[in-house]
């Protein structure tokens, strides 16, 4: 079974907006209360509170005079909040995320319905007293609806993320070549891409024959002047005033346009690369460490490398492909892709260089993409039958080494083989 998410826009009526605001407030209050209770319990006893222990606090809170309003909230919304908090703790202890934070009413508001949500005549029917909410469903909702997360953005838009469970689809595109004894198949119909990510060029992509350059759109830079003016106006408004609260949405809409343009670019490029490839090879970048460079922090945060790799990962998995991440310390820029001679040092401002061993002239980024691709193919060959059919991780630990991210439907017979010389 595969899980798929479709995000749709909701248009609630005024009374439904009030009901959703109450649900957001209850879920947010319960998250903060449960988090604070867990912290205090840990300080006193050295142990945290389990999911069952936290849920056991709810009945008494609903009967208390001070928090009787919790009884008006749909019970499974609060229980889902508890589940999300315990999951956040688990991710923290397994070094996949930071410590859970308290939630603010000024940030993104969200609630989760684990069941009993239905699609009725192109609209979304939520359980409890909310009922049918008008929706703009832009694509078919396939499979069984598992959970629905309703959120309100800082700009005031209502969204519903519908998670569905569908049957595993057959591999799309050209079927992979099954190698026979003594053969090294050369894949022509299905490509293997090597990608070098950067700031001047967002991505330099090679399929072994052609090198393509995709410039960095610099989404934030296009809106920076407009954003600066609106932030200055917001800063001059009195704190706590209605005018300031209204203008917060104006600033939030600018940030939303930046985010939407970035997401659109990353989705389109990842779809283009995944649609005709069986494997994509990238570097395992330590983005968290790179943004500590205060001169490049804003540019690195704006470019969205991590999001792009995650997009590649799930789209390749859905199409039966494979994402290979090579070690971040692999000398892709300093290694000659023609004779494999490695030079000592190369400053960041050196964009072209000539190999002193074979006199081949290289574009720094194009040469790096070629080396990344060759190293990824070498890893695929080295793994051979040892490649796990269900391995790989989407949110691995920080400082991880080279890993495969691949689909559970990949088998040894479907693994692409080749040599660096044959595949570029």
């Amino acid at each position: 079974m595969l899980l798929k998410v479709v995000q749709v826009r909701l248009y609630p009526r005024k009374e439904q907006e009030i009901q959703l605001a109450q649900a957001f407030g209850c879920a947010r209050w319960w998250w903060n209360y449960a988090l604070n209770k867990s912290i205090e319990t840990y300080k006193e006893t050295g142990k945290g509170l389990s999911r069952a222990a936290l849920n056991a606090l709810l009945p008494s809170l609903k009967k208390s005079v001070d928090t009787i309003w919790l009884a008006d909230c749909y019970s499974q919304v609060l229980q889902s909040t508890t589940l999300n908090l315990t999951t956040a703790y688990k991710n923290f202890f397994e070094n996949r995320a930071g410590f859970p934070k308290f939630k603010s009413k000024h940030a993104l508001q969200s609630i989760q319905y684990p069941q009993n949500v239905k699609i009725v005549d192109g609209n979304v029917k939520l359980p409890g007293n909310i009922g049918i909410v008008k929706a703009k469903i832009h694509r078919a909702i396939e499979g069984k609806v598992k959970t629905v997360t309703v959120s309100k953005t800082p700009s005031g838009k209502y969204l519903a993320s519908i998670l569905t469970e569908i049957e595993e689809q057959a591999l799309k595109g050209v079927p992979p070549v099954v190698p026979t004894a003594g053969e090294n198949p050369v894949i022509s119909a299905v490509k293997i891409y090597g990608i070098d990510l950067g700031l001047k060029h967002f991505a330099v992509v090679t399929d072994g024959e052609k090198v393509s350059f995709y410039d960095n759109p610099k989404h934030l830079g296009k809106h920076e002047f407009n954003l600066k003016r609106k932030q200055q106006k917001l800063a001059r408004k009195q704190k706590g005033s209605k005018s300031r609260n209204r203008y917060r949405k104006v600033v939030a809409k600018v940030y939303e346009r930046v985010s939407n343009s970035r997401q659109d670019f990353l989705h389109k490029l990842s779809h283009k690369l995944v649609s005709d490839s069986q494997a994509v090879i990238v570097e395992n970048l330590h983005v968290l460490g790179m943004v500590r460079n205060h001169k490049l922090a804003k540019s690195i945060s704006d470019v969205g490398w991590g999001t792009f790799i995650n997009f590649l990962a799930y789209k390749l998995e859905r199409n039966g492909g494979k994402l290979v991440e090579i070690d971040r310390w692999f000398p892709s820029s300093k290694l000659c892709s023609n004779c494999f001679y490695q030079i000592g040092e190369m400053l960041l401002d050196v964009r072209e260089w000539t190999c002193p061993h074979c006199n081949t002239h290289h574009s720094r980024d194009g040469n790096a993409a070629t080396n990344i691709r060759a190293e990824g193919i070498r890893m695929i060959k080295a793994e051979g039958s040892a490649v796990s059919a269900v391995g790989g991780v989407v949110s691995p630990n920080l400082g991880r080494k080279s890993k495969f991210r691949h689909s559970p439907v990949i088998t040894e017979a479907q693994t692409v083989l080749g040599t660096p010389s044959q595949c570029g």
Side-chain angles (χ1 to χ4, degrees), residues 44 151 210 221 246 250 253 306 335 370:
E44 295 173 0
S151 58
K210 183 178 70 173
R246 282 197 302 267
V250 176
K253 286 180 180 179
L335 189 68
T370 301

Side-chain angles (χ1 to χ4, degrees), residues 172-177 185-193 207 209 274-278 416:
K172 297 180 181 179
V174 181
V177 177
V186 179
I187 308 304
S188 57
V190 180
K191 298 178 181 178
I192 304 175
Y193 286 120
D207 60 1
E209 298 178 356
V274 167
S275 60
D276 64 344
S277 66
Q278 190 179 5
V416 180

Side-chain angles (χ1 to χ4, degrees), residues 229-279:
R229 288 191 303 111
K230 287 182 167 54
Q231 285 177 324
Q232 288 174 339
K233 290 183 180 180
L234 176 64
R236 288 194 290 265
K237 296 187 180 295
Q238 185 177 356
K239 291 185 178 180
S241 65
K242 291 183 178 180
S243 176
R244 183 182 178 89
N245 288 334
R246 282 197 302 267
Y247 211 80
R248 285 168 65 96
K249 291 185 179 181
V250 176
V251 176
K253 286 180 180 179
V254 181
Y255 277 112
E256 191 175 86
R257 283 197 292 271
V258 175
S259 177
N260 288 343
S261 62
R262 182 186 299 115
Q263 294 268 332
D264 180 70
F265 170 75
L266 297 178
H267 271 300
K268 287 179 177 178
L269 180 56
S270 59
H271 174 76
K272 179 180 179 180
L273 297 176
V274 167
S275 60
D276 64 344
S277 66
Q278 190 179 5

Side-chain angles (χ1 to χ4, degrees), residues 209-393:
E209 298 178 356
K210 183 178 70 173
V211 179
S212 301
F213 294 84
Y214 297 91
D215 290 335
N216 181 5
K218 297 182 180 179
H219 307 282
L220 185 59
K222 295 177 181 178
H223 298 270
E224 202 162 18
F225 179 73
N226 183 30
L227 185 62
K228 179 181 178 180
R229 288 191 303 111
K230 287 182 167 54
Q231 285 177 324
Q232 288 174 339
K233 290 183 180 180
L234 176 64
R236 288 194 290 265
K237 296 187 180 295
Q238 185 177 356
K239 291 185 178 180
S241 65
K242 291 183 178 180
S243 176
R244 183 182 178 89
N245 288 334
R246 282 197 302 267
Y247 211 80
R248 285 168 65 96
K249 291 185 179 181
V250 176
V251 176
K253 286 180 180 179
V254 181
Y255 277 112
E256 191 175 86
R257 283 197 292 271
V258 175
S259 177
N260 288 343
S261 62
R262 182 186 299 115
Q263 294 268 332
D264 180 70
F265 170 75
L266 297 178
H267 271 300
K268 287 179 177 178
L269 180 56
S270 59
H271 174 76
K272 179 180 179 180
L273 297 176
V274 167
S275 60
D276 64 344
S277 66
Q278 190 179 5
V280 176
I281 303 158
V282 296
E283 280 184 302
N284 180 352
L285 298 175
H286 184 23
V287 180
L288 185 62
M290 297 171 72
V291 296
R292 292 171 184 161
N293 182 341
H294 67 279
K295 293 183 179 179
L296 298 176
K298 183 162 63 172
S299 298
I300 293 173
S301 300
D302 179 45
V303 76
W305 291 328
T307 304
F308 179 65
I309 293 175
N310 283 334
F311 285 176
L312 288 173
Y314 87 79
K315 289 176 182 179
L316 283 164
E317 180 177 356
R318 189 172 61 191
N319 285 17
K322 180 181 299 184
L323 178 67
V324 182
E325 291 182 300
I326 69 170
D327 184 29
R328 64 174 65 108
W329 302 113
F330 176 73
S332 58
S333 298
K334 298 185 288 186
L335 189 68
C336 175
S337 58
N338 183 54
C339 68
F340 306 110
Y341 176 83
Q342 181 178 340
I343 64 175
E345 293 294 333
M346 181 181 293
L347 300 177
L348 287 176
D349 59 350
V350 177
R351 309 316 303 172
E352 295 184 358
W353 62 283
T354 302
C355 176
H357 185 262
C358 65
N359 294 324
T360 303
H361 189 71
H362 295 292
S363 162
R364 179 191 182 114
D365 297 333
N367 177 68
T370 301
N371 286 327
I372 289 170
R373 182 176 182 272
E375 173 66 8
I377 294 174
R378 183 198 65 77
M379 287 176 57
I380 295 175
K381 287 186 62 180
E383 288 291 328
S385 59
V387 176
S388 170
V390 292
V393 285

Side-chain angles (χ1 to χ4, degrees), residues 29 60-71:
W29 184 91
S60 59
L61 288 172
K62 292 179 180 180
K63 295 178 183 178
S64 174
V65 176
D66 295 331
T67 55
I68 194 172
W69 39 266
L70 278 176

Side-chain angles (χ1 to χ4, degrees), residues 32-133:
N32 292 339
Y33 180 88
L35 177 56
N36 182 64
K37 194 73 173 178
S38 298
I39 294 173
E40 290 180 348
T41 304
Y42 182 80
K43 289 179 179 178
E44 295 173 0
T45 65
K47 295 182 180 180
L49 293 174
S50 66
R51 177 185 171 191
L54 289 172
N55 281 333
L57 301 174
L58 284 171
S60 59
L61 288 172
K62 292 179 180 180
K63 295 178 183 178
S64 174
V65 176
D66 295 331
T67 55
I68 194 172
W69 39 266
L70 278 176
D72 297 331
C73 183
Y74 187 62
S75 60
Q76 291 189 1
V77 167
L78 300 178
Q79 292 172 10
S80 293
T81 302
T82 310
L83 174 61
N84 292 336
L85 178 59
T86 53
T87 302
Y89 262 109
K90 182 179 179 181
N91 290 335
F92 167 70
F93 287 119
E94 294 181 0
N95 297 322
R96 287 199 298 265
F99 190 78
K101 297 180 181 179
F102 292 97
K103 295 190 175 182
S104 168
K105 65 180 180 179
H106 298 299
L108 178 75
Q109 307 295 307
S110 66
I111 53 176
Q112 189 176 80
Y113 293 94
Q115 57 185 6
N116 299 329
V117 178
K118 299 179 180 179
I119 308 299
V120 180
D121 298 329
N123 299 315
V124 178
K125 183 178 181 181
L126 300 176
N129 299 326
I130 297 179
I132 297 177
V133 182

